[in-house]
Amino acid sequence: MEKRTKADVAKAAGVPTATVDAMLSYVVAEVAAGNAVQFMGFGSFQPVEQAAREVNVPSTGKKTAAPAKYRPKFKAGTSFKDAVATARKP
C-alpha cells in the first residue's frame, strides 16, 4: 500500500495544491466548530464526544483521569465503500 500526499491528490485531480489545502482546512474548521461536513457518496466528518475515563500511564504504571473531549469521526459513504469492496476482492 502506497501513501499519497496532498500534492499527489492535487495532481491526480488536476487542481492546485492550494485547493486541496483549502478544502481540508474547511473540513477541519467546521468539525472543530461542532458542525458535520458531508460529501455525498464519499462520506461525512463529524465531531463526537468521548467520555471522561481512566487511562493507564505505561511509563509509571499508574492510572490517571483523562477528561472528556471531542474527537473527529469519519463515516464512509456508500459509493466509497462499494468502490473499495469492488477493487479489493480477495
Side-chain angles (χ1 to χ4, degrees):
M1 177 168 75
E2 292 184 47
K3 295 195 180 211
R4 302 285 187 229
T5 65
K6 286 187 286 186
D8 295 330
V9 172
K11 184 176 179 183
V15 297
T17 303
T19 302
V20 176
D21 285 335
M23 186 188 85
L24 294 174
S25 294
Y26 174 78
V27 171
V28 170
E30 286 297 307
V31 174
N35 302 314
V37 177
Q38 180 178 13
F39 296 103
M40 297 301 290
F42 178 73
S44 61
F45 300 87
Q46 61 188 18
V48 293
E49 187 173 9
Q50 182 174 335
R53 59 198 171 94
E54 276 194 355
V55 295
N56 290 320
V57 179
S59 60
T60 64
K62 296 182 180 179
K63 290 189 177 198
T64 187
K69 63 181 179 179
Y70 283 89
R71 61 179 183 78
K73 178 180 179 181
F74 174 74
K75 183 176 179 186
T78 304
S79 297
F80 189 3
K81 290 178 187 177
D82 291 345
V84 172
T86 301
R88 303 294 298 177
K89 287 186 178 180

